[in-house]
Structures are given as structure tokens and as C-alpha cells.
């Protein structure tokens, strides 16, 4: 740990989903813009060892880091808002902590002591937090859950102790709350905030700064009232008004004086933040003058949190093309039940994202076929690539019943299959092909145009692979490998030559996309969608032929 590392702890009160992750990420942005280095950590209060085995309906997206950790989706925000390189150690759960403590106990490392929450569990938490401080100026720690929950108590106790351990000048507590707006009386209410600050005080933590989510602009009076009841100064009450675009948050916080207050309280000497890049980006976002719609065919369509990084990557790819991207989520099971029924009439591109399990698979295959046969730009990510290969094998190469062995172990044409290493694995957690792998791009391919470099590095999270036994047959019909693993054994990208834009990748490019530096494959896909949308409009507006013209046509 740097002698001078400062720690910022972010807790949340009143209710969940207030945007603690975005708040932590935005504070990271502001500290970086002041020339400081940052690292971020999310502590999750559930017992699962990681979110990898949790249903995306409940937990949202699983974000994958370079080193193959399956983490909370807030780490995606952290990486998109800062330059911090995140790893396994940047997210831990209660489950991981207990796992470590119990293993130590079994190894006899506690020398006969009674192992307890305090100090053994809290010490384990504190060690991990201290490690986060290694080599950075500011370590930002987000405490998952809501203050008042039983589950997050050990985390709160650990961060309470750390103020004494590290010195009060090195530790700052920021509490995020909600100011509900009551329509009937036309005012914002401060009582829930007062109560949650009190709940935090009950476990020994006095918040230094309050960030209050609010729909309406709040007056100085409201800030004064909150300050009085919550034991802070009015300038330590920061209003977090709803924003149109999440990337505006650092700028809004800066206007409210948040970063200035943080450096003052932590006694850090820095320059004023340089926010020009962020301002220019937001100005560009607000000036987008074209629109396209992408049809996303998936299973988790009711919970957009399940595709968080994907949504952000599409947004960023759109901005790079001066285009606003609307997302139309289409439930693949509905396609199975009711057919296509004009579902794609208003889309300018079709995308099948990652996914697991056989539910809705046939609907996705129908969607890919529609994209292929109607020259609609198609982008398949992970499962979306596998589905494209299955569709192509069945409908172009005549391999009836072709499938992935994930969905039909007895398929006559297992075009997607488990590799040898995966066949022997019995445990589910953390056993997929995970994390960063190199991919060699096929020269003179569409993928080489997209990437403009001979080798890329992308993150993976899957068990099944393109079965190379079928590579020749598929390539003969023009579905070619656009990139492979360095040893040439694994196909990482496929592209169909007889189509304006039909590409699938086995990796997840959404995890490495950044708002101002979109992953090239997203920028290229959205460019193709924009061109398709223009062609479509030209066709529609072309005047119909008169009878006379038709006669000579
Ligand atoms: N279910 C597929 C596999 O395990 C795809 C996974 C994914 O899309 N991330 O290979």
C-alpha cells in the first residue's frame, strides 16, 4: 500500500438501485481528471463466491475482466469511466471471504482461537481493502447492499475500523441516498435520508459527504436542512439530479463541487480537473442527428441490466458514427410461438448476444436466417456466433439437424461442440473458458478491415466452440474464419462473404469497449447498419413506376 493512499468508501441507503456503481465510477473519473491514479473495488454481500453461477434475471450481467474473473456489472462501469485495470481482486463477495476464513481455519492458521466475525471475518475484509491501495493514489470502495441490511454489517464494521487503522485524514465516507419527490405537496422529502444517515451512525460511521438522488432540482434550503439533521455542512450535500446520459454524471458532480470537497477533506493537493474530453463527448452525444434501431434477439430481454455492457458498447459505437442507437429487445421465445410477424420491419440491424441454455434457441435461428436471407447486417456475439454457424450449416450446407451439443448432444452435425478440456469438468463455477485470449486475424478478410491489425486480444466466457471438423465444409460455402487462436485450432470470428455484413465472434467485445473508444467491431457493425438504413430509405422513397415505364422495364 502507498503510504499516502486515500480511501473513499461509498455506501447506499433508503433503497437499492440508486446508482452507487455509477457514483463510484464517476468519482474515479474526477480523481483521474485531477491527475490522480485510482483503483476501484466492489464488495458484494451475498454468499455466492462469484456472480458467475447466478441467473442474469436476478443479478444482471456478469462482467468479465482480463484475468477471467466473473464479476459484478459495476466493474463494467468502473472500466468504462476510468483507466483502472481491474482484476479478480477488484470484486469480492461475502462467500469468498468466508471461504478464505474457513480454509485458513482448516489449515490451523488461527492457532486454536475461536473464529468469529469480529475480528477474523472483518480482518479478512480489511486485508483485501488494504491491498487495493497498492500503487494508487485513491482507492474507491463500493459497499454493496443497503445500509440497514443484516448482510452488509461485516463490511460496514470493517470500513468503520479502517478509519482508525489508516488515520482519519486518509478515509472518507460517502453515503448515497434518495430524496423522494411528493407530487401532492410538491416538495422533496428529506426524512428517508435522515433515517439512513442515522442507521449508518448506529454502526459507528458518520457520513462525510451525502450524495442525494433527486428528480427535481433542490434548493439551498433543502441542503441546509439535510446538513443540520445529518451532521454535515450544506456544501457536503451533493445533489445528484437525474441525467439523460450516464456519462454526464462526472460533469454534474463537478458542478456540485464534489471532487473539490473530496480532495479538501482528504487533504490531497491536485490540479483542477481537466474535463475537456468528457465535455466534448457529451456535446457530441447531445448533437447526434441520425438514428437507427438494432433488434436484439435474446432471452433476458425484460431486464436490460442483463446486457449492460452490450448496451453501452452499442451506444459508444453509435456515437462514433454520429448516430443515436435505439435498442429493440425481441424475445426469441415469442418468435418461436408467433413467428416473425413484422418484428424486424423497423430494425436496421439484427444482433444475437451471448446466452446459455436451450430456451429460445430456435427463435434465434429463425432471426439469423432472416438477417442472412434479407441482407440485414447481422452481428452474433458468443452464443450469437454459435447460432449463426448452426443456421448456416442447416440452411446453406444442407446439414439437417445441425446444432450445438449444448442444445442437442445427439445432433448428427455437432458444428458447435465442447473441446476436450471442457468434457471432464464437473463443477459449474469458474470453469468456462474465461478471460483474455489472443486472436490472429485472417489477412484480407472483412475482420482485417474491421480491426486493421493482425492480432487482437478479447475476453471470453463460454464452454462451447466452433467445431473445426466442419470448417472446410462451411468455408466452401463462404462462411469463413475471420480470426483464430494463435495455434489456429479455435475459430474466434466468422464472416459470411455473400452478405453486406454478417459477422460472429466467439469472444465478448462489449467488455473492452469504452465510451470514447468503442471496440472496432461495434463501430464497424453500426456503420454497416447506418448504410443499410440509408439504402432502405432510398428504396422506400423511390417513386413507383408508371404503367408505361413498367411496360418497357
Ligand atoms: N452457451 C454458450 C457456451 O457456453 C455461449 C456462452 C455465451 O454466449 N457467453 O459456449
Amino acid at each position: 500500500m502507498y503510504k499516502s493512499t486515500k480511501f473513499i468508501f461509498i455506501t447506499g441507503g433508503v433503497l437499492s438501485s440508486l446508482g452507487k456503481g455509477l457514483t463510484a465510477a464517476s468519482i474515479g473519473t474526477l480523481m483521474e481528471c485531477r491527475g490522480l491514479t485510482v483503483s476501484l473495488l466492489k464488495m458484494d454481500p451475498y454468499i455466492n463466491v462469484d456472480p458467475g453461477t447466478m441467473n442474469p434475471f436476478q443479478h444482471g450481467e456478469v462482467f468479465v475482466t482480463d484475468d477471467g474473473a466473473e464479476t459484478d456489472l459495476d466493474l463494467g462501469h468502473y472500466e468504462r469511466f476510468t483507466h483502472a485495470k481491474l482484476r479478480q481482486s477488484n470484486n469480492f463477495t461475502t462467500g469468498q471471504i468466508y471461504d478464505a476464513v474457513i480454509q485458513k481455519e482448516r489449515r490451523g492458521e488461527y492457532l486454536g482461537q475461536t473464529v468469529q466475525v469480529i475480528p477474523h471475518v472483518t480482518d479478512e475484509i480489511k486485508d483485501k481493502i488494504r491491498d487495493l491501495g497498492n500503487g494508487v493514489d485513491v482507492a474507491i470502495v463500493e459497499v454493496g447492499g443497503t445500509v440497514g441490511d443484516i448482510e452488509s454489517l461485516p463490511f460496514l464494521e470493517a470500513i468503520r475500523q479502517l478509519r482508525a487503522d489508516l488515520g482519519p485524514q486518509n478515509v472518507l465516507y460517502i453515503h448515497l441516498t434518495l430524496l423522494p419527490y411528493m407530487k401532492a405537496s410538491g416538495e422533496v422529502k428529506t426524512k428517508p435520508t435522515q433515517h439512513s444517515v442515522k442507521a449508518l451512525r448506529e454502526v459507528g460511521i458518520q457520513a462525510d459527504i451525502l450524495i442525494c438522488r433527486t428528480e427535481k432540482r433542490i434548493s439551498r434550503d433543502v441542503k441546509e436542512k439535510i446538513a443540520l439533521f445529518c451532521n454535515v455542512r450544506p456544501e457536503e450535500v451533493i445533489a445528484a439530479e437525474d441525467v439523460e446520459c450516464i456519462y454526464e454524471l462526472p460533469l454534474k458532480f463537478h458542478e456540485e463541487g464534489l471532487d473539490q470537497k473530496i480532495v479538501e477533506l482528504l487533504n490531497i493537493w491536485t490540479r483542477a480537473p481537466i474535463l475537456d474530453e468528457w465535455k466534448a463527448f457529451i456535446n457530441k452525444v447531445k448533437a447526434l442527428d441520425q438514428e437507427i434501431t438494432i433488434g436484439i434477439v435474446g432471452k433476458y430481454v425484460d431486464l436490460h441490466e442483463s446486457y449492460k455492457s452490450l448496451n453501452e458498447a452499442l451506444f459508444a459505437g453509435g456515437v462514433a458514427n454520429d448516430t443515436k442507437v435505439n435498442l429493440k429487445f425481441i424475445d426469441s421465445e415469442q418468435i418461436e410461438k408467433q413467428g416473425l410477424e413484422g418484428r424486424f420491419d423497423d430494425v436496421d440491424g439484427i444482433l444475437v448476444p451471448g446466452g446459455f441454455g436451450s430456451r429460445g434457441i430456435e427463435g434465434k435461428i429463425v432471426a439469423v436466417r432472416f438477417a442472412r436471407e434479407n441482407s440485414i447486417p447481422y452481428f452474433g456475439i458468443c452464443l450469437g456466433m454459435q447460432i449463426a454457424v448452426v443456421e448456416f450449416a442447416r440452411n446453406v450446407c444442407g446439414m439437417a439437424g445441425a446444432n450445438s451439443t449444448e442444445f442437442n448432444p445427439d445432433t448428427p452435425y455437432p458444428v458447435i461442440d465442447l473441446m476436450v478440456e471442457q468434457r471432464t469438468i464437473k463443477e459449474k463455477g469458474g470453469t468456462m473458458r474465461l478471460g483474455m485470449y489472443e486472436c490472429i486475424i485472417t489477412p484480407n478478410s472483412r475482420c482485417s478491415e474491421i480491426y486493421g491489425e493482425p492480432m487482437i486480444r478479447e475476453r471470453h466466457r463460454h464452454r462451447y466452440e466452433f467445431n473445426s471438423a466442419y470448417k472446410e465444409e462451411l468455408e466452401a460455402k463462404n462462411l469463413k474464419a475471420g480470426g483464430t487462436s494463435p495455434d489456429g485450432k479455435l475459430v474466434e470470428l466468422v464472416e459470411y462473404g455473400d452478405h453486406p455484413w454478417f459477422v460472429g465472434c466467439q469472444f465478448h467485445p462489449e467488455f473492452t469497449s469504452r465510451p470514447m473508444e468503442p471496440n472496432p467491431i461495434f463501430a464497424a457493425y453500426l456503420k454497416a447498419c447506418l448504410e443499410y438504413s440509408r439504402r432502405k430509405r432510398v428504396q422506400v422513397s423511390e417513386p413507383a413506376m408508371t404503367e408505361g415505364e413498367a411496360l418497357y422495364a
Side-chain angles (χ1 to χ4, degrees):
M1 198 180 83
Y2 263 20
K3 210 168 65 238
S4 55
T5 303
K6 306 286 183 177
F7 287 82
I8 301 176
F9 295 105
I10 300 171
T11 52
V14 183
L15 41 87
S16 59
S17 305
L18 286 182
K20 258 190 316 213
L22 283 170
T23 301
S26 303
I27 291 174
T29 307
L30 290 169
M31 294 298 113
E32 280 195 345
C33 289
R34 283 177 169 264
L36 301 168
T37 53
V38 302
S39 190
L40 294 107
L41 164 69
K42 169 88 190 276
M43 306 196 288
D44 276 310
Y46 48 79
I47 312 281
N48 305 59
V49 170
D50 62 43
T53 51
M54 282 157 88
N55 184 339
F57 279 120
Q58 280 189 18
H59 189 268
E61 163 186 286
V62 173
F63 185 78
V64 179
T65 54
D66 277 357
D67 66 344
E70 298 178 277
T71 69
D72 185 82
L73 57 80
D74 280 338
L75 272 78
H77 292 312
Y78 303 168
E79 282 204 347
R80 286 187 286 272
F81 277 74
T82 73
H83 297 91
K85 272 275 151 250
L86 304 178
R87 292 175 291 134
Q88 177 79 62
S89 50
N90 296 84
N91 180 206
F92 61 79
T93 67
T94 295
Q96 262 174 49
I97 296 290
Y98 274 83
D99 194 37
V101 169
I102 290 168
Q103 281 182 36
K104 278 190 189 166
E105 187 273 332
R106 293 289 84 186
R107 287 196 299 266
E109 287 181 27
Y110 295 114
L111 305 171
Q113 293 176 54
T114 307
V115 181
Q116 292 176 298
V117 174
I118 306 170
H120 302 102
V121 168
T122 45
D123 278 355
E124 192 68 34
I125 297 171
K126 288 201 294 183
D127 284 350
K128 286 195 181 257
I129 294 176
R130 279 200 204 90
D131 285 347
L132 181 75
N134 276 331
V136 295
D137 300 318
V138 183
I140 302 166
V141 180
E142 178 190 347
V143 184
T146 308
V147 168
D149 292 350
I150 294 175
E151 299 193 315
S152 47
L153 279 176
F155 291 145
L156 295 175
E157 171 58 16
I159 68 168
R160 180 194 71 76
Q161 293 177 15
L162 278 170
R163 181 166 231 167
D165 295 353
L166 301 168
Q169 72 286 3
N170 294 324
V171 170
L172 190 76
Y173 300 115
I174 297 184
H175 189 56
L176 180 66
T177 72
L178 174 73
L179 299 177
Y181 175 71
M182 294 294 289
K183 244 198 209 142
S185 57
E187 52 178 356
V188 292
K189 292 298 198 183
T190 65
K191 194 72 83 189
T193 294
Q194 296 176 37
H195 276 287
S196 95
V197 169
K198 189 171 146 215
L200 199 54
R201 261 203 316 266
E202 276 166 13
V203 296
I205 297 171
Q206 165 64 49
D208 299 304
I209 294 178
L210 300 176
I211 299 184
C212 305
R213 280 294 302 272
T214 167
E215 272 174 64
K216 303 268 171 202
R217 182 154 295 230
I218 55 168
S219 63
R220 175 87 190 171
D221 289 356
V222 175
K223 286 192 176 183
E224 277 171 8
K225 182 172 174 194
I226 296 170
L228 180 68
F229 284 101
C230 298
N231 212 13
V232 294
R233 280 168 289 197
E235 61 274 19
E236 287 153 359
V237 179
I238 304 293
E241 256 180 84
D242 294 350
V243 285
E244 254 173 72
C245 166
I246 54 171
Y247 302 106
E248 259 180 285
L249 263 179
L251 300 175
K252 291 280 177 205
F253 282 155
H254 174 66
E255 281 167 23
E256 281 282 301
L258 175 62
D259 51 307
Q260 184 55 37
K261 203 75 229 167
I262 291 174
V263 296
E264 249 172 64
L265 292 174
L266 284 172
N267 204 11
I268 310 175
W269 287 87
T270 73
R271 62 167 196 232
I274 301 174
L275 290 162
D276 304 357
E277 230 191 339
W278 287 82
K279 283 183 190 153
F281 181 71
I282 293 300
N283 288 340
K284 193 170 179 195
V285 170
K286 293 202 165 160
L288 299 179
D289 54 0
Q290 324 177 70
E291 268 187 56
I292 54 173
T293 300
I294 305 297
I296 299 180
V297 184
K299 185 163 71 164
Y300 316 114
V301 290
D302 294 330
L303 182 68
H304 296 185
E305 294 278 287
S306 310
Y307 300 119
K308 195 92 223 169
S309 295
L310 175 66
N311 303 348
E312 295 307 320
L314 286 167
F315 165 78
V319 178
N321 284 290
D322 297 306
T323 301
K324 177 171 184 280
V325 179
N326 302 314
L327 307 180
K328 179 176 177 183
F329 288 91
I330 299 160
D331 182 351
S332 52
E333 281 188 292
Q334 292 300 324
I335 298 181
E336 285 171 13
K337 285 183 200 139
Q338 297 155 2
L340 286 172
E341 267 190 34
R343 274 176 226 274
F344 294 126
D345 286 356
D346 53 352
V347 307
D348 305 302
I350 295 178
L351 189 154
V352 175
F356 294 84
S358 56
R359 202 151 55 77
I361 288 298
E362 291 302 318
K364 291 179 189 175
I365 292 177
V366 171
V368 175
R369 181 174 195 166
F370 188 79
R372 184 177 55 75
E373 291 180 342
N374 294 285
S375 298
I376 303 172
Y378 175 76
F379 187 16
I381 297 177
C382 206
L383 177 67
M385 169 186 134
Q386 299 175 353
I387 292 289
V389 171
V390 169
E391 190 280 324
F392 198 83
R394 284 188 194 174
N395 301 325
V396 180
C397 303
M399 301 182 201
N403 215 330
S404 161
T405 50
E406 180 178 8
F407 314 123
N408 179 7
D410 305 318
T411 167
Y413 301 101
V415 287
I416 304 292
D417 199 6
L418 286 180
M419 295 292 100
V420 187
E421 316 83 74
Q422 284 288 339
R423 295 215 171 115
T424 48
I425 291 173
K426 295 271 175 303
E427 284 193 13
K428 284 268 187 250
T431 54
M432 283 187 258
R433 180 175 167 211
L434 283 166
M436 184 77 99
Y437 286 86
E438 289 178 351
C439 165
I440 307 296
I441 302 292
T442 311
N444 305 319
S445 60
R446 175 179 295 279
C447 290
S448 72
E449 275 168 38
I450 295 172
Y451 286 103
E453 29 192 340
M455 198 264 286
I456 56 166
R457 290 189 178 85
E458 291 287 356
R459 299 180 193 172
H460 289 248
R461 181 173 185 255
H462 56 101
R463 275 183 218 289
Y464 293 80
E465 304 278 355
F466 182 105
N467 185 347
S468 294
Y470 294 92
K471 193 167 163 212
E472 243 177 69
E473 237 174 302
L474 294 166
E475 291 212 324
K477 295 280 188 197
N478 222 357
L479 186 76
K480 299 208 162 135
T484 63
S485 55
D487 64 6
K489 287 191 181 146
L490 300 172
V491 173
E492 308 283 43
L493 282 154
V494 297
E495 54 181 60
Y496 180 37
D498 303 332
H499 189 281
W501 210 97
F502 188 98
V503 179
C505 56
Q506 188 56 81
F507 45 79
H508 286 277
E510 67 271 33
F511 295 143
T512 49
S513 197
R514 302 287 173 265
M516 294 171 218
E517 285 163 56
N519 188 298
I521 201 164
F522 280 98
Y525 171 60
L526 291 163
K527 184 163 175 255
C529 296
L530 196 59
E531 280 160 14
Y532 172 80
S533 148
R534 285 192 192 126
R535 275 201 307 275
K536 205 165 69 170
R537 255 178 293 139
V538 171
Q539 271 167 16
V540 171
S541 55
E542 235 165 52
M545 279 189 280
T546 61
E547 252 176 66
E549 280 169 337
L551 214 57
Y552 295 101

